[in-house]
Amino acid sequence: MEFISWTPVIFSRSGFPRDEEGRPFLPKNAFVESLTSAVIFYYIKKDREIENRVRKYLLSENLDIKEVAKQVKKIITDKYPVLDELDIPERVYLPPSQIKEKYVEIFDLKEWIDVRGFKTEVFSGVLQLEISSPHIEKLRAASHSYAEALARMEHSLLKDHPLASIFYEPLINQMKKWDIPLRIGMWTEVSFKGDLLFFWRIKEVREKLMKTLKTDIRPRYVLYLPDEKQTTGWAEIKTK
């Protein structure tokens, strides 16, 4: 099995974590977080009863913003425990030769401007990765649904911007052939990342969350590498 970073992966502004011997790695939680976002999106989209429960929760009067992500995840995974028995190494080590320091822009997809930038470590390459789950087919379906929806959303915000045709259109076509697509690591600084993406199309929820969160619930601000002309974190787990 392999982990393939189709575009560079960032873990944090301060770079990748290191073990006691100074070896860089991606922690298990980076993979789990990515798959969790996919599962949340997929089962809200797939199950009307789940959609209605999450909608009711998000429209509640006493919505606790700090608890939103945890509660939405609980509603879904209680009914669909597809993340249970997921076996991924606690640390996936990265070859130091494939880590570079790069300047990263925070790109506003809606306004087409670079908001600000910073330097950090990025990883590009292919790694051996052992992953197992009794629910691998369901995770594959969820990951395709979410990654493709996320790519299409970002593409739609760019409209006639050159990045739409030179990057997003080939990306959308290529990821249909990926085994398990991921959006992994630090790829946006927007709260909730893409976990509430499904509800952007539902006016009452969108307006409530916009009013409560004071921000666009779509991942409008993405991390962009100007040298590569790519947004970050697009990756694949290849199981076969």
Side-chain angles (χ1 to χ4, degrees):
M1 297 183 189
E2 293 178 327
F3 171 73
I4 305 170
S5 63
W6 288 105
T7 71
V9 172
I10 297 170
F11 181 74
S12 72
R13 281 179 175 255
S14 57
F16 293 98
R18 260 75 174 173
D19 69 6
E20 299 78 5
E21 298 176 4
R23 296 180 297 169
F25 63 89
L26 269 175
K28 176 180 178 177
N29 74 294
F31 295 90
V32 173
E33 182 182 81
S34 179
L35 290 168
T36 300
S37 293
V39 166
I40 288 171
F41 177 85
Y42 181 67
Y43 283 105
I44 292 174
K45 178 182 175 183
K46 183 180 175 68
D47 187 325
R48 184 57 61 86
E49 188 267 338
I50 285 287
E51 177 190 334
N52 289 335
R53 284 181 62 195
V54 176
R55 182 206 300 246
K56 183 178 179 181
Y57 167 69
L58 293 175
L59 291 173
S60 61
E61 288 297 322
N62 299 315
L63 186 66
D64 184 345
I65 298 307
K66 295 179 181 178
E67 294 293 314
V68 167
K70 184 191 300 183
Q71 290 303 316
V72 170
K73 176 185 174 183
K74 185 176 189 307
I75 289 170
I76 293 156
T77 55
D78 279 354
K79 185 171 182 180
Y80 296 101
V82 297
L83 295 167
D84 289 1
E85 300 177 72
L86 175 62
D87 187 14
I88 300 176
E90 291 295 328
R91 296 175 176 180
V92 178
Y93 283 96
L94 308 174
S97 61
Q98 293 176 280
I99 295 176
K100 308 293 183 186
E101 187 175 80
K102 295 273 188 177
Y103 180 76
V104 182
E105 294 177 351
I106 301 174
F107 187 73
D108 184 336
L109 291 168
K110 191 172 180 179
E111 299 296 332
W112 302 359
I113 59 172
D114 304 323
V115 179
R116 57 191 178 278
F118 57 92
K119 280 189 174 182
T120 191
E121 293 178 328
V122 304
F123 164 77
S124 296
V126 180
L127 303 170
Q128 293 301 306
L129 172 67
E130 293 304 316
I131 175 174
S132 65
S133 167
H135 311 291
I136 202 74
E137 291 301 325
K138 292 175 181 177
L139 293 175
R140 181 178 287 113
S143 295
H144 270 282
S145 180
Y146 174 65
E148 290 172 26
L150 197 57
R152 286 193 296 270
M153 182 280 297
E154 293 176 27
H155 174 264
S156 71
L157 284 174
L158 289 167
K159 299 178 182 177
D160 298 322
H161 190 282
L163 198 59
S165 59
I166 67 173
F167 175 67
Y168 277 100
E169 288 169 16
L171 175 73
I172 291 167
N173 289 327
Q174 291 163 9
M175 72 168 53
K176 293 174 183 176
K177 302 174 184 177
W178 298 354
D179 189 3
I180 301 178
L182 299 178
R183 194 72 181 284
I184 192 167
M186 181 184 177
W187 55 269
T188 181
E189 291 196 325
V190 174
S191 298
F192 310 116
K193 295 191 172 181
D195 290 357
L196 300 180
L197 178 63
F198 177 84
F199 287 99
W200 179 255
R201 66 181 183 86
I202 301 175
K203 186 173 184 289
E204 60 178 338
V205 179
R206 179 175 74 241
E207 291 181 347
K208 164 70 184 298
L209 292 175
M210 290 281 284
K211 181 179 178 181
T212 305
L213 303 177
K214 305 291 190 295
T215 188
D216 195 328
I217 61 171
R218 296 172 296 181
R220 168 178 166 177
Y221 301 97
V222 294
L223 303 190
Y224 173 69
L225 295 171
D227 290 344
E228 288 85 350
K229 294 183 170 57
Q230 296 177 330
T231 53
T232 66
W234 298 103
E236 174 189 7
I237 295 175
K238 198 172 186 67
T239 64
K240 51 190 176 182

